[in-house]
């Protein structure tokens, strides 16, 4: 955050575009005795692997993106050494032990990045992976799609959404043609579906109700307007509330949720807590 928070023109504990942050964990390695104010070399190396995501150690091929820079506060209970002690101790490792291998004693340390990954893709992945990029039939039916993903997502690593969307763009006639039926919005500071330090309420599943149920503040209303009136959403106004109690909550701040690949940037003028003081710009 200290290095990249101000890239959008404002220090607000949210990195607007983590893909453009060049933070290196090695910069935090202890220069003297080990302490809580610095990292050991092993800790920095582990952190680098978490940011990079899983990589086949034999071929060097990247398997999936890692956790986003700036999302660290969402990692609690997710990034840890699995334990069989206590409820939920295995965390996401249980996906492999239960679903893929059906063996509660499966040891993640023996994971084979060739054979085991292929087994997971072949057995469970074929049931759940949604990776096709041909949307020709959907376009013919007049389907409209709004996809959103929080940059602080701790469960589904967010960098995959732009990666997949770029593949869809390449297969469906380019960016302008794809945005005619399918639009992606990346949300700074939003955790898995909702929450996080950002302005993460705009009518999505699990979110607090937005301050107005209109196409500017509510993606469902925006989708209705797009389908029924032909007006696609250019951006949303995301809201951060002071608390979850609808009777006492106040608006803490608002931010634009920009149409990918644009990102929000503070203009340098006006109230930094007001979305009107920001603009969506292409990186």
């Amino acid at each position: 955050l200290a290095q990249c928070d101000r890239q959008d023109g404002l220090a607000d504990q949210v990195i607007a575009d983590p893909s453009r942050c060049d933070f290196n964990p090695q910069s935090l390695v202890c220069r003297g005795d080990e302490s809580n104010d610095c990292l050991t070399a092993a800790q920095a190396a582990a952190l680098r692997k978490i940011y990079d995501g899983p990589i086949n150690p034999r071929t060097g091929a990247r398997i999936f993106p890692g956790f986003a820079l700036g999302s660290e506060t969402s990692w609690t209970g997710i990034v840890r050494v699995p334990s069989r002690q206590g409820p939920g101790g295995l965390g996401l490792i249980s996906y492999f032990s239960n679903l893929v291998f059906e063996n509660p004693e499966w040891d993640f340390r023996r994971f084979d990045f060739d054979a085991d990954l292929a087994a997971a893709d072949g057995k469970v992945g074929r049931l759940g992976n949604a990776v096709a990029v041909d949307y020709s039939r959907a376009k013919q039916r007049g389907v409209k799609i709004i996809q959103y993903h929080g940059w602080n997502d701790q469960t589904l690593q967010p960098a995959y959404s732009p990666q997949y969307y770029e593949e869809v763009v390449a297969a469906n006639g380019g960016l302008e043609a794809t945005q005619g039926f399918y639009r992606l919005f990346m949300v700074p500071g939003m955790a898995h579906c909702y929450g996080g330090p950002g302005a993460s309420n705009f009518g999505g599943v699990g979110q607090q109700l937005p301050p107005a149920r209109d196409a500017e503040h509510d993606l469902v209303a925006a989708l209705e307007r797009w389908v029924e009136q032909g007006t696609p959403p250019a951006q949303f106004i995301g809201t951060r509330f002071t608390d979850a109690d609808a009777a006492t909550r106040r608006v803490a701040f608002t931010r634009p949720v920009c149409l990918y690949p644009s990102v929000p940037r503070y203009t340098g003028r006006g109230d930094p807590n007001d979305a009107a003081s920001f603009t969506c710009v292409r990186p």
Side-chain angles (χ1 to χ4, degrees):
L1 288 174
Q3 182 167 329
C4 299
D5 186 3
R6 290 184 177 273
Q7 288 180 342
D8 62 355
L10 184 70
D12 57 358
Q13 299 300 301
V14 173
I15 297 176
D17 186 4
S19 69
R20 296 185 176 274
C21 180
D22 59 357
F23 169 72
N24 186 348
Q26 288 294 324
S27 65
L28 298 182
V29 171
C30 301
R31 298 185 178 182
D33 294 336
E34 178 183 344
S35 75
N36 289 336
D37 296 324
C38 56
L39 301 178
T40 66
Q43 289 170 336
L47 190 57
R48 180 76 273 167
K49 290 182 178 181
I50 293 170
Y51 289 133
D52 287 344
I55 295 173
N56 187 313
R58 181 182 64 84
T59 65
R62 187 176 302 278
I63 297 168
F64 206 76
F67 290 82
L69 291 157
S71 69
E72 296 80 12
T73 56
S74 300
W75 296 2
T76 302
I78 299 293
V79 177
R80 59 179 177 176
V81 176
S83 169
R84 299 188 185 280
Q85 309 302 316
L90 286 177
L92 298 180
I93 294 296
S94 61
Y95 167 84
F96 289 97
S97 62
N98 292 341
L99 296 179
V100 177
F101 301 110
E102 300 181 47
N103 175 15
E105 301 304 318
W106 177 76
D107 185 357
F108 73 93
R109 296 174 182 84
R110 298 179 180 176
F111 186 80
D112 185 310
F113 279 82
D114 294 309
D116 289 350
L117 185 64
D121 268 337
K123 181 177 181 180
V124 184
R126 65 185 180 85
L127 303 177
N129 288 347
V131 295
V133 295
D134 182 1
Y135 281 80
S136 56
R137 294 185 184 180
K139 289 190 291 184
Q140 290 172 1
R141 296 202 311 271
V143 165
K144 307 298 181 188
I145 302 169
I146 295 176
Q147 177 185 350
Y148 61 92
H149 202 159
W151 272 119
N152 280 37
D153 195 328
Q154 72 278 25
T155 305
L156 301 173
Q157 281 62 52
Y160 182 69
S161 281
Q163 176 183 319
Y164 171 71
Y165 190 73
E166 293 291 351
E167 294 173 1
V168 173
V169 166
N172 290 271
L175 181 61
E176 184 175 352
T178 303
Q179 288 181 340
F181 72 97
Y182 179 0
R183 296 192 163 206
L184 171 64
F185 295 84
M186 298 300 297
V187 189
M190 186 175 82
H192 186 55
C193 300
Y194 55 86
S200 55
N201 298 286
F202 46 91
V205 173
Q207 300 176 10
Q208 297 184 58
L209 293 180
R213 302 308 295 265
D214 56 31
E216 283 68 42
H217 298 82
D218 184 345
L219 66 85
V220 177
L223 187 59
E224 291 175 349
R225 185 175 69 173
W226 192 6
V227 171
E228 297 173 2
Q229 302 177 28
T231 304
Q235 69 174 48
F236 295 103
I237 296 177
T239 302
R240 169 80 176 185
F241 293 106
T242 54
D243 57 75
D245 190 335
T248 60
R249 71 179 189 181
R250 294 176 292 102
V251 173
F253 58 84
T254 58
R255 293 283 188 276
V257 178
C258 301
L259 175 65
Y260 177 84
S262 296
V263 296
R265 180 172 297 167
Y266 180 54
T267 63
R269 302 180 302 276
D271 184 355
N273 291 322
D274 188 347
S277 302
F278 292 74
T279 184
C280 292
V281 298
R282 292 286 290 267

